[in-house]
Amino acid sequence: MPGKVKDAGSGHGKKAAQQLQGTRKLPTHLYETELYRLQGELVKMQEWVRAQGARIVVIFEGRDAAGKGGTIKRVSQYLNPRLARIAALPAPTERQRTQWYFQRYVENLPAAGELVLFDRSWYNRAGVEHVMGFCTKEEYSRFLHQCPIFERLLVEDGILLRKYWFSVSDEEQQRRFESRRHDPLRSWKLSPMDLESITRWEDYSRAKDEMFVHTDIPEAPWHVVESDDKRRARINMIAHLLSSIPYHQVKQPSLKLPPRPAAQGYIRTPRDMQAYVPDHAAELLAGNGRVR
């Protein structure tokens, strides 16, 4: 069984992370060019999934503000939402609390030809629920016992399961929290629970280490993504995912636009009989004085 993997934290942890991923930031043009190329490969992979009837589950876990959401956004950006969907489950209902813990996640697993991206997953029990006392010690121990069994069953049934842990240093997390606190468009991302995680940094580190000991199994190993540099994290994660899936380009049918038929005497309904959206763009142009 693989050993424990530590978060990139302050001091030695951050230096080790920098040695792993380098300290030079990815230039914008290089990042955007490679991201677009990788997204093209994701579209090819999606078509392979559809054609083969494959089922893929990708789990995104990690610290608060570690870059999971931004990576999921880039992965799904050009994919067909009918085939590739994001599962970001809210807190369980009272009824769900009485069910088998994994039950509500099973309901979100993919059918043939589908890809599901879990924005956090059943690993909530090993992290936030355990650290914050939202589950009992017995429920926590039962999860650590059942989770490897559950995941082996998924893999045995043919699901391609990939698990990613986004690791961010305490200093970078603090910087991102501050950025969110002052950004009205992203302030919703910062919750009291996020702030609580600052004071429980080492508790979360110990919980993650213990989780890895029990769930980093050969059938479904964890893959750590160093994410102090979001660009590197996105590129590295997507490239690894693609390298782990045995997809190939599926030949698409050749499509040709048909010629438009000649008019058959249709007369359009007068515009004043319909309610149109006001031309806000025209007001902007008028206020600006000129078109740029």
Side-chain angles (χ1 to χ4, degrees):
M1 179 179 292
K4 297 180 181 179
V5 181
K6 295 184 178 179
D7 270 314
S10 58
H12 177 72
K14 184 173 183 180
K15 291 179 181 177
Q18 290 175 340
Q19 290 173 356
L20 280 171
Q21 69 168 15
T23 56
R24 183 185 174 193
K25 282 201 169 186
L26 216 54
T28 300
H29 72 280
L30 184 60
Y31 162 71
E32 292 178 347
T33 300
E34 179 61 8
L35 177 62
Y36 190 72
R37 185 191 72 81
L38 291 172
Q39 288 174 324
E41 292 299 314
L42 285 170
V43 172
K44 293 179 186 178
M45 184 190 76
Q46 169 193 259
E47 289 305 305
W48 174 84
V49 169
R50 180 190 57 78
Q52 295 293 318
R55 293 170 293 164
I56 298 179
V57 169
V58 185
I59 289 177
F60 294 79
E61 289 287 351
R63 299 276 189 178
D64 295 318
K68 301 179 295 296
T71 304
I72 291 172
K73 180 178 179 180
R74 271 68 180 187
V75 170
S76 62
Q77 187 171 0
Y78 295 106
L79 300 183
N80 184 341
R82 293 180 179 85
L83 303 178
R85 54 189 171 85
I86 300 170
L89 275 61
T93 64
E94 287 303 315
R95 181 175 183 275
Q96 288 173 331
R97 293 178 192 277
T98 67
Q99 298 173 340
W100 178 45
Y101 176 72
F102 294 94
Q103 188 167 333
R104 71 188 189 121
Y105 295 101
V106 170
E107 295 169 354
N108 285 273
L109 292 175
E114 293 180 349
L115 163 69
V116 178
L117 309 174
F118 276 93
D119 185 355
R120 295 200 181 276
S121 65
W122 45 86
Y123 282 101
N124 276 343
R125 175 137 295 177
V128 63
E129 289 190 19
H130 171 57
V131 172
M132 300 301 296
F134 297 153
C135 67
T136 66
K137 291 182 179 179
E138 291 75 17
E139 289 172 330
Y140 172 66
S141 297
R142 189 183 308 126
F143 171 83
L144 293 179
H145 169 69
Q146 290 185 350
C147 185
I149 300 172
F150 173 66
E151 292 182 352
R152 286 188 180 103
L153 289 173
L154 298 183
V155 174
E156 183 180 303
D157 200 60
I159 289 178
L160 300 174
L161 176 60
R162 303 294 181 265
K163 304 188 304 191
Y164 293 96
W165 177 270
F166 285 72
S167 179
V168 65
S169 67
D170 50 358
E171 293 150 339
E172 178 61 19
Q173 184 193 59
Q174 186 82 12
R175 189 194 67 77
R176 292 177 186 176
F177 280 166
E178 286 292 343
S179 176
R180 290 178 179 182
R181 192 165 68 92
H182 298 289
D183 186 346
L185 298 182
R186 296 189 302 149
S187 59
W188 62 269
K189 288 187 173 185
L190 192 60
S191 69
M193 196 74 69
D194 295 328
L195 301 181
E196 183 76 17
S197 70
I198 296 175
T199 62
R200 294 176 181 261
W201 179 269
E202 290 194 1
D203 292 337
Y204 275 102
S205 293
R206 294 187 186 95
K208 191 267 292 188
D209 287 347
E210 188 69 15
M211 179 184 79
F212 268 50
V213 167
H214 291 272
T215 64
D216 190 14
I217 58 177
E219 298 88 346
W222 279 103
H223 302 285
V224 178
V225 182
E226 294 292 348
S227 60
D228 271 15
D229 182 342
K230 290 183 178 181
R231 292 176 180 175
R232 282 180 178 268
R234 294 163 186 167
I235 293 294
N236 293 343
M237 180 270 155
I238 297 174
H240 180 271
L241 174 63
L242 290 167
S243 72
S244 73
I245 305 295
Y247 75 98
H248 55 79
Q249 185 160 7
V250 176
K251 187 176 181 180
Q252 298 294 312
S254 179
L255 300 178
K256 184 178 180 181
L257 292 177
R260 289 192 176 273
Q264 302 292 318
Y266 167 76
I267 300 176
R268 182 173 179 168
T269 304
R271 289 180 179 271
D272 58 8
M273 294 181 63
Q274 298 173 338
Y276 280 82
V277 173
D279 194 349
H280 181 64
E283 296 176 10
L284 290 176
L285 291 172
N288 193 41
R290 59 190 178 90
V291 179
R292 292 184 178 180

